[in-house]
Amino acid sequence: MRKHIVAGNWKMNKNFSEADDLINQLVEKLESTDLGDTQLIICPPALYIELASDQSDESYFMVGAQDVSEHDNGAYTGEISADMLENMAIDYCIVGHSERRAYHHETDEQIARKVDQLLKHDLRPIVCCGEVLEEREANKQFEVVKRQIVDGLFHLTAEQFADIVIAYEPVWAIGTGKTATPEQAQEMHAYIRSLIAEKYGAEVADNTSILYGGSCKPSNAKELFANPDVDGGLIGGASLKADDFLAIAQSF
Ligand code: PGA
């Protein structure tokens, strides 16, 4: 059966001592917090991955990166390879976040290559998809998300797909305070699961965790996570405060 996952995407936030503080707060609070079967993941900026992964050995969270290069090691200034991430003893990596798609013009084909790099190095991709506002207003959200899933992921074998986590993040809900309604989230998550079932069969689809992202906070997490196809959240702003993040993680 699929896992409940709550992952924090810190994006480009926190200086070193603030990052250290937040990690320490999480470690301390997790000692007395019951998360049940929910897997907690934090995805700090790459500079702080080691800081986080040192602590994760002793505590109840896993660590992920926010992005990875599509290339093998080599002359790619500023990039971080899957080989390097594997050596940091982390487990997950976000790929295809809408901010990377929008500001760095990442295509579904590049995202597919990043997914391949991660799988080659035993890291689990958290693959983001989601439509922008104009696409939703034109009722094109299903078409857009289908293209992202098919072009980004459907070259994988069923065995490889078992390591994929999907995050549906409607771009109009990210950082805007405007959350998708539980019905909108459920509708899209069920659609994504049906695409996976069609391609890989019901068992693979049932075992795939599909997270919701976009202005998820303690006040709305419960009603989002109550939906049968919403298996957790990818949390931006609210993951920067230990209490809010842990409150969301306790919303199942
Ligand atoms: P948000 O970001 O929770 O701040 O809306 C979510 C994300 O971009 O992953």
Side-chain angles (χ1 to χ4, degrees):
M1 198 49 198
R2 57 188 179 260
K3 272 194 202 146
H4 287 158
I5 295 174
V6 170
N9 174 10
W10 291 13
K11 308 190 179 182
M12 195 174 74
N13 287 296
K14 307 264 178 214
N15 63 27
F16 185 87
S17 70
E18 290 164 348
D20 194 33
D21 270 0
L22 179 51
I23 293 164
N24 286 329
Q25 281 180 39
L26 286 170
V27 169
E28 201 183 299
K29 288 173 193 288
L30 278 167
E31 278 170 19
S32 55
T33 307
D34 181 11
L35 295 183
D37 67 349
T38 301
Q39 176 64 64
L40 196 71
I41 303 170
I42 62 170
C43 302
L47 280 177
Y48 312 140
I49 285 177
E50 196 173 0
L51 196 66
S53 66
D54 280 352
Q55 297 268 28
S56 72
D57 284 349
E58 314 286 324
S59 187
Y60 186 68
F61 64 85
M62 289 179 136
V63 181
Q66 296 178 10
D67 187 34
V68 67
S69 171
E70 68 195 276
H71 303 289
D72 289 327
N73 288 344
Y76 299 100
T77 303
E79 293 269 56
I80 294 174
S81 69
D83 178 45
M84 295 171 189
L85 292 178
E86 185 183 9
N87 278 277
M88 304 298 288
I90 63 167
D91 300 280
Y92 290 88
C93 180
I94 299 170
V95 209
H97 191 278
S98 64
E99 287 149 16
R100 305 264 347 148
R101 292 179 190 260
Y103 309 143
H104 302 271
H105 312 293
E106 272 185 22
T107 64
D108 292 320
E109 291 66 33
Q110 278 175 297
I111 289 160
R113 288 195 286 275
K114 291 182 177 206
V115 166
D116 291 344
Q117 284 288 348
L118 292 171
L119 294 176
K120 193 164 89 182
H121 290 277
D122 292 327
L123 293 157
R124 299 191 62 185
I126 301 174
V127 184
C128 302
C129 58
E131 78 286 357
V132 299
L133 186 59
E134 302 81 78
E135 291 163 340
R136 177 151 292 255
E137 284 173 348
N139 204 26
K140 289 199 164 140
Q141 65 272 25
F142 295 109
E143 191 183 312
V144 169
V145 168
K146 181 176 182 179
R147 191 206 67 228
Q148 293 170 334
I149 298 276
V150 169
D151 293 354
L153 289 172
F154 279 7
H155 61 290
L156 300 176
T157 63
E159 198 185 323
Q160 288 176 312
F161 204 89
D163 281 325
I164 300 294
V165 175
I166 292 179
Y168 168 58
E169 302 202 299
V171 181
W172 45 271
I174 295 179
T176 57
K178 223 177 173 188
T179 319
T181 64
E183 294 74 26
Q184 286 172 324
Q186 168 57 25
E187 186 184 33
M188 184 58 84
H189 284 226
Y191 175 68
I192 294 169
R193 204 177 303 285
S194 75
L195 293 175
I196 302 168
E198 226 171 85
K199 169 83 179 167
Y200 295 106
E203 197 182 333
V204 174
D206 277 348
N207 286 331
T208 304
S209 297
I210 307 177
L211 317 183
Y212 168 80
S215 298
C216 186
K217 40 191 182 245
S219 58
N220 60 23
K222 258 200 177 79
E223 51 176 10
L224 286 161
F225 296 174
N227 291 286
D229 287 293
V230 178
D231 307 311
L234 181 55
I235 318 298
S239 73
L240 299 172
K241 291 192 186 127
D243 285 332
D244 285 357
F245 187 48
L246 294 180
I248 294 171
Q250 288 181 292
S251 295
F252 280 102

